[in-house]
Amino acid sequence: MLTKLTLTEARAGLAARKFSARDLAKAHLDAIDRLNPKLNAYITVVPEQDVLTAADAADARYAAGTARPMEGLPVGVKDLFCTKGIKTTAASKILANFIPPYESTVTARLLDAGSLFVGKTNLDEFAMGSANITSAYGAVLNPWQRKGDEVTALVPGGSSGGSAAAVAAGLALAATGTDTGGSIRQPAAFCGIVGLKPTYGRCSRWGTIAYASSLDQAGPMTRTVADAGLMLEAMAGFDEKDSTCSNRPVPAFAQAVGKSIKGLRVGIPAEYRAPGLSPEISAMWEQGIAWLRDAGCEIVDVSLPHTKYGLATYYIIAPAECSSNLARYDGIRFGERKDAATLDGIYEATRAAGFGEEVRSRILMGTYVLSAGYYDAYYLKAQKVRTLIKRDFVEAFEKVDVLLTPTAPSAAFAQGENMADPVQMYLNDIFTVPASMAGVPALSVPVGLDSKGLPLGLQIIGRHFDEETVLSVGGALEAAAGFAHTPTLHAEAGA
């Protein structure tokens, strides 16, 4: 049952020599062989011999008493992080053959902590999507299935859907994700795992392929809140190569889990009780409030009046930044080239063939709002509204320590649903986008199942650089919920 362990359990088992790092790695590689053809969670799998060689080195460190914090633990890496010598595609045809000669700061830190990379996980192309259906390498399947329905394929959420599916199904103990408007938290909720978006600037963005630079933030996707703290310790820290990276010290995040939360004030934003909110989501939210009240928290009603503008503001700022960031993929400087008779022709042919429909759509939106005559009307105004959204959070945190909200407006939906209506797809981020706009940390914790047997998550939002309190509250919520469900398609099924 090695693929059902948490990071913390696996580390303890390795230290006690109950099993070897080679055993652990082999179990996960076998699980990938068995289930990845169906789930499509990985775009690239690291060769078995490379993984096992690294596992043998980890075993030697355990034997010598020099094991590092993540020693020998199999981790999936979202295929947005550049990994030296391992293909990095951003799930796009335009980077189909890109093998970086360097390592991103986040993955370098995980390697330095002893992690074993087993593969590069699938995602929405260039992290643009909420369902992991826009990848050039095919859609990812959620390992959960509706009760009594083994036919309907469900989405895992996006854009970090491959990472979420891999962790939920036992194809990795944990995985990296990136969150621009909810891309860690929403798929974590859809797949019944824990997902943490740290404060903007807590983790370096260097070597991570950019979508929207003022929003992108790397974070851990794990099975427990304590695991999220452990992994964040390895990922976080100052990096002089990223001018937006904070030089604050990295706390012992994992130790925050289990601390008493008695006396903490928990805010309930009135604006998140949106019309049309699923009764099951609403009931789970009320249950979460009751659990935290029972743990000694004070429940306080708060207002975030500019929340209603969050989604519209996000879909101006993010596409604008994506338009700028993706301009470099022209077939000359970066990306696969399509030849044509003229330079303009090369640009047009390369980008038409290399980018998928969703990416082209967002580039066009972004180029439009940045164009002469529209910059002030759209982009500049959106930046002003973003300031107001951030101010709402700052003012709320003068009254409360954390906020509690739903993570997503629904459980996982079927592949093909909502695709005809892009606005409906964008609404999947309605509860996660405001925290991203404000740059504050937010954690999704699985707390129960809906009537169809699918996981539901609640979101804890905290002050800037106060991940410790977020993790403490998340740990208490996790303990109260006792979520121990596993998806239908798990590595041990059929093993």
PDB file of all heavy atoms in Angstrom, residues 21 26 140 186 199 208 272 280 323 400 403 448 481 494:
ATOM      1  N   ALA A  21      13.651   3.256  -0.316  1.00  0.00           N
ATOM      2  CA  ALA A  21      13.290   4.268  -1.308  1.00  0.00           C
ATOM      3  C   ALA A  21      13.101   3.627  -2.674  1.00  0.00           C
ATOM      4  O   ALA A  21      12.262   4.058  -3.470  1.00  0.00           O
ATOM      5  CB  ALA A  21      14.360   5.358  -1.367  1.00  0.00           C
ATOM      6  N   LYS A  26       9.598   2.208  -7.005  1.00  0.00           N
ATOM      7  CA  LYS A  26       9.105   1.167  -7.917  1.00  0.00           C
ATOM      8  C   LYS A  26       7.585   1.059  -7.846  1.00  0.00           C
ATOM      9  O   LYS A  26       6.914   0.875  -8.878  1.00  0.00           O
ATOM     10  CB  LYS A  26       9.738  -0.182  -7.560  1.00  0.00           C
ATOM     11  CG  LYS A  26       9.499  -1.280  -8.609  1.00  0.00           C
ATOM     12  CD  LYS A  26      10.267  -0.973  -9.882  1.00  0.00           C
ATOM     13  CE  LYS A  26      10.285  -2.168 -10.843  1.00  0.00           C
ATOM     14  NZ  LYS A  26       8.958  -2.507 -11.373  1.00  0.00           N
ATOM     15  N   VAL A 140      -6.899  15.332 -19.193  1.00  0.00           N
ATOM     16  CA  VAL A 140      -6.626  14.491 -18.027  1.00  0.00           C
ATOM     17  C   VAL A 140      -7.962  13.995 -17.470  1.00  0.00           C
ATOM     18  O   VAL A 140      -8.949  14.730 -17.441  1.00  0.00           O
ATOM     19  CB  VAL A 140      -5.861  15.273 -16.940  1.00  0.00           C
ATOM     20  CG1 VAL A 140      -5.678  14.428 -15.689  1.00  0.00           C
ATOM     21  CG2 VAL A 140      -4.510  15.730 -17.478  1.00  0.00           C
ATOM     22  N   GLN A 186      -8.564  24.787  -7.055  1.00  0.00           N
ATOM     23  CA  GLN A 186      -9.751  24.192  -7.680  1.00  0.00           C
ATOM     24  C   GLN A 186      -9.543  22.731  -8.062  1.00  0.00           C
ATOM     25  O   GLN A 186     -10.375  21.881  -7.744  1.00  0.00           O
ATOM     26  CB  GLN A 186     -10.188  25.048  -8.872  1.00  0.00           C
ATOM     27  CG  GLN A 186     -11.484  24.595  -9.518  1.00  0.00           C
ATOM     28  CD  GLN A 186     -11.232  24.052 -10.927  1.00  0.00           C
ATOM     29  OE1 GLN A 186     -10.114  23.609 -11.236  1.00  0.00           O
ATOM     30  NE2 GLN A 186     -12.239  24.078 -11.778  1.00  0.00           N
ATOM     31  N   THR A 199       1.541  32.864  -0.440  1.00  0.00           N
ATOM     32  CA  THR A 199       1.568  34.290  -0.721  1.00  0.00           C
ATOM     33  C   THR A 199       2.390  34.547  -1.979  1.00  0.00           C
ATOM     34  O   THR A 199       3.421  33.912  -2.201  1.00  0.00           O
ATOM     35  CB  THR A 199       2.224  35.045   0.453  1.00  0.00           C
ATOM     36  OG1 THR A 199       1.554  34.702   1.667  1.00  0.00           O
ATOM     37  CG2 THR A 199       2.163  36.551   0.249  1.00  0.00           C
ATOM     38  N   THR A 208      10.078  28.997 -14.158  1.00  0.00           N
ATOM     39  CA  THR A 208       8.698  28.529 -14.351  1.00  0.00           C
ATOM     40  C   THR A 208       8.130  29.275 -15.555  1.00  0.00           C
ATOM     41  O   THR A 208       8.170  30.515 -15.589  1.00  0.00           O
ATOM     42  CB  THR A 208       7.838  28.807 -13.104  1.00  0.00           C
ATOM     43  OG1 THR A 208       8.483  28.275 -11.960  1.00  0.00           O
ATOM     44  CG2 THR A 208       6.460  28.175 -13.257  1.00  0.00           C
ATOM     45  N   TYR A 272     -19.535  35.790  -0.774  1.00  0.00           N
ATOM     46  CA  TYR A 272     -19.319  34.446  -1.292  1.00  0.00           C
ATOM     47  C   TYR A 272     -20.591  33.596  -1.219  1.00  0.00           C
ATOM     48  O   TYR A 272     -20.624  32.490  -1.769  1.00  0.00           O
ATOM     49  CB  TYR A 272     -18.182  33.754  -0.528  1.00  0.00           C
ATOM     50  CG  TYR A 272     -16.804  34.174  -0.981  1.00  0.00           C
ATOM     51  CD1 TYR A 272     -16.422  35.520  -0.930  1.00  0.00           C
ATOM     52  CD2 TYR A 272     -15.885  33.261  -1.466  1.00  0.00           C
ATOM     53  CE1 TYR A 272     -15.173  35.932  -1.333  1.00  0.00           C
ATOM     54  CE2 TYR A 272     -14.615  33.659  -1.875  1.00  0.00           C
ATOM     55  CZ  TYR A 272     -14.266  34.992  -1.813  1.00  0.00           C
ATOM     56  OH  TYR A 272     -13.021  35.380  -2.227  1.00  0.00           O
ATOM     57  N   GLU A 280     -25.551  21.799  -1.697  1.00  0.00           N
ATOM     58  CA  GLU A 280     -24.596  20.886  -1.073  1.00  0.00           C
ATOM     59  C   GLU A 280     -23.320  21.622  -0.680  1.00  0.00           C
ATOM     60  O   GLU A 280     -22.755  21.372   0.391  1.00  0.00           O
ATOM     61  CB  GLU A 280     -24.273  19.728  -2.025  1.00  0.00           C
ATOM     62  CG  GLU A 280     -25.429  18.758  -2.199  1.00  0.00           C
ATOM     63  CD  GLU A 280     -25.051  17.575  -3.062  1.00  0.00           C
ATOM     64  OE1 GLU A 280     -24.583  17.800  -4.186  1.00  0.00           O
ATOM     65  OE2 GLU A 280     -25.225  16.435  -2.613  1.00  0.00           O
ATOM     66  N   SER A 323      -0.502  37.849 -23.086  1.00  0.00           N
ATOM     67  CA  SER A 323      -0.208  38.366 -24.417  1.00  0.00           C
ATOM     68  C   SER A 323       1.240  38.824 -24.501  1.00  0.00           C
ATOM     69  O   SER A 323       1.949  38.559 -25.483  1.00  0.00           O
ATOM     70  CB  SER A 323      -1.150  39.522 -24.739  1.00  0.00           C
ATOM     71  OG  SER A 323      -0.763  40.190 -25.908  1.00  0.00           O
ATOM     72  N   VAL A 400     -10.305  39.882  11.425  1.00  0.00           N
ATOM     73  CA  VAL A 400     -10.265  38.424  11.546  1.00  0.00           C
ATOM     74  C   VAL A 400      -8.868  37.910  11.222  1.00  0.00           C
ATOM     75  O   VAL A 400      -8.035  38.636  10.679  1.00  0.00           O
ATOM     76  CB  VAL A 400     -11.303  37.745  10.619  1.00  0.00           C
ATOM     77  CG1 VAL A 400     -12.711  38.175  10.971  1.00  0.00           C
ATOM     78  CG2 VAL A 400     -10.993  38.041   9.145  1.00  0.00           C
ATOM     79  N   LEU A 403     -10.124  33.737   6.585  1.00  0.00           N
ATOM     80  CA  LEU A 403     -11.456  33.675   5.984  1.00  0.00           C
ATOM     81  C   LEU A 403     -11.745  32.229   5.610  1.00  0.00           C
ATOM     82  O   LEU A 403     -10.829  31.482   5.233  1.00  0.00           O
ATOM     83  CB  LEU A 403     -11.534  34.546   4.734  1.00  0.00           C
ATOM     84  CG  LEU A 403     -11.202  36.032   4.890  1.00  0.00           C
ATOM     85  CD1 LEU A 403     -11.137  36.693   3.515  1.00  0.00           C
ATOM     86  CD2 LEU A 403     -12.223  36.725   5.771  1.00  0.00           C
ATOM     87  N   GLY A 448     -15.508  16.515   2.462  1.00  0.00           N
ATOM     88  CA  GLY A 448     -16.637  15.602   2.355  1.00  0.00           C
ATOM     89  C   GLY A 448     -16.966  15.275   0.916  1.00  0.00           C
ATOM     90  O   GLY A 448     -16.280  15.714  -0.013  1.00  0.00           O
ATOM     91  N   ALA A 481     -13.030  16.991   9.745  1.00  0.00           N
ATOM     92  CA  ALA A 481     -13.722  16.352   8.611  1.00  0.00           C
ATOM     93  C   ALA A 481     -13.394  14.869   8.513  1.00  0.00           C
ATOM     94  O   ALA A 481     -14.244  14.063   8.115  1.00  0.00           O
ATOM     95  CB  ALA A 481     -13.337  17.064   7.310  1.00  0.00           C
ATOM     96  N   GLY A 494      -6.791  -2.978  -8.593  1.00  0.00           N
ATOM     97  CA  GLY A 494      -6.307  -3.842  -9.646  1.00  0.00           C
ATOM     98  C   GLY A 494      -4.837  -4.155  -9.549  1.00  0.00           C
ATOM     99  O   GLY A 494      -4.256  -4.746 -10.450  1.00  0.00           O
TER     100      GLY A 494
END
